[in-house]
Amino acid sequence: MTLPNFLIFGVQKAGTTSIYKYLRQHPQVFMSPLKETEFMGRKPEIQAQAAAGADLRTKGGRKKIVTIDDYRELFEGVQDELAIGEASPNYLFSHERSVPTIQRYVPEAKLIAILRNPVERAYSDYLMHVRQAIGNPRPLAEQVQERGESSHTLLKGRYYEGVKHYLDVFGSQQVKIFLYDELRQDSPGLMRQIFEFIGVDSSFAVNTEKRQQTAEVPKNRTVNQLLRTNNPLRSMARGVLRMALPEEKRQKLRSRLIAANSQGKEGMPLTPGERQLLEDYYRDDVMRLQDLLGRDLSTWFQLKQTEA
């Protein structure tokens, strides 16, 4: 049965959604209809629950891809495409689990990562958690100062160990690393390189004009929490509105309220002090990554290194 011959394995908040959409435009490329399957990086306990017959679904009700049969089903629509892929940018962060699974099921797959300035990546990730009302995210400065070694938002930007692991296991001919800056500056040029790497017609022109995601933050976080999470007030409002409006109109009303309470990311700017803390936090990792890749990553630092 058909399985992917290429994977986008990293990283979150680095344009992987856009690249996934661009790849789907190419007639010689088949992309999993589900982005972020996370199959290769599943924890053993999740796999054990699935084996025991547990109904594993995401918060949105979508079935998690846990078994190899679940994974294969995603590629049943493959016809005569040359390149078959999926994009799960957490595979870099979960490299200790993901690499052995990739070796087991798709050992010859081409592997692609897009890396973003880790400071900007952490900032974007933090804004997403605020926007989606995921938990109660602490300010980035507090995360650095108090729990930098346990914050996933921060740890996902420490690329060196994961990138080195992939390169050590699969080799530089099978692993291709791109930078988010390249995507922003020349999206068509970056896509031509990806097409060439995965073995399809690199002259195919994709439409890269539309950005897939834009950064927004709530004007009022309390209102945002009420609109996006399950809570007594929202349940009460839902019960009242259910008698007056059909489901579709209720969802449109909720979307309008969320939009009215949204603003650009300038509403929650990254302060110079926060940037300095983050740059100091990531500096050693970036320097090691720079040597590993043989690429100048100095542009990732906007502030001068503080003297001891």
Side-chain angles (χ1 to χ4, degrees), residues 201-219:
D201 181 7
S202 60
S203 67
F204 180 81
V206 297
N207 180 359
T208 62
E209 293 182 2
K210 182 179 179 181
R211 293 187 61 185
Q212 299 303 323
Q213 296 179 343
T214 56
E216 290 185 336
V217 295
K219 296 175 182 176

Side-chain angles (χ1 to χ4, degrees), residues 47-181:
Q47 296 172 339
Q49 291 174 24
D55 183 11
L56 302 176
R57 297 182 184 276
T58 65
K59 290 182 179 180
R62 188 186 76 197
K63 180 182 178 181
K64 289 183 179 180
I65 306 302
V66 180
T67 69
I68 185 60
D69 291 335
D70 294 335
Y71 193 62
R72 285 195 176 109
E73 286 180 7
L74 296 174
F75 304 97
E76 288 182 345
V78 174
Q79 297 179 0
D80 58 355
E81 292 88 354
L82 299 176
I84 304 159
E86 67 121 328
S88 293
N90 269 333
Y91 288 165
L92 180 60
F93 180 62
S94 64
H95 61 91
E96 293 182 346
R97 295 191 303 272
S98 299
V99 166
T101 312
I102 293 170
Q103 287 181 293
R104 178 180 180 183
Y105 291 114
V106 289
E108 304 300 322
K110 297 291 183 68
L111 303 167
I112 300 166
I114 299 88
L115 305 182
R116 183 180 184 180
N117 177 333
V119 173
E120 296 296 338
R121 199 222 69 83
Y123 172 50
S124 180
D125 196 29
Y126 170 73
L127 294 183
M128 179 192 72
H129 281 77
V130 171
R131 178 173 64 252
Q132 299 296 334
I134 301 172
N136 185 25
R138 303 183 69 181
L140 288 171
E142 290 185 17
Q143 293 188 44
V144 172
Q145 293 170 332
E146 298 181 14
R147 55 189 184 93
E149 298 305 310
S150 62
S151 165
H152 283 188
T153 292
L154 298 182
L155 291 174
K156 287 181 179 181
R158 285 164 53 169
Y159 309 135
Y160 172 77
E161 292 293 343
V163 171
K164 186 176 186 300
H165 192 182
Y166 273 90
L167 287 170
D168 286 347
V169 172
F170 298 104
S172 59
Q173 296 302 309
Q174 197 173 335
V175 179
K176 192 76 170 177
I177 306 297
F178 297 98
L179 301 182
Y180 178 72
D181 295 337

Side-chain angles (χ1 to χ4, degrees), residues 214-276:
T214 56
E216 290 185 336
V217 295
K219 296 175 182 176
N220 186 294
R221 292 177 65 172
T222 300
V223 171
N224 187 63
Q225 190 83 12
L226 290 172
L227 290 171
R228 290 187 181 271
T229 64
N230 291 322
N231 56 79
L233 186 58
R234 183 180 170 192
S235 297
M236 184 185 304
R238 187 189 298 120
V240 172
L241 291 173
R242 187 177 288 120
M243 295 184 290
L245 297 172
E247 173 70 15
E248 183 179 354
K249 289 189 176 181
R250 293 201 306 271
Q251 291 302 323
K252 285 184 178 179
L253 175 60
R254 176 172 172 266
S255 296
R256 290 195 190 102
L257 291 172
I258 290 174
N261 189 48
S262 297
Q263 59 184 328
K265 65 180 182 180
E266 62 274 5
M268 294 183 66
L270 186 65
T271 68
E274 289 172 324
R275 181 175 292 278
Q276 183 71 74

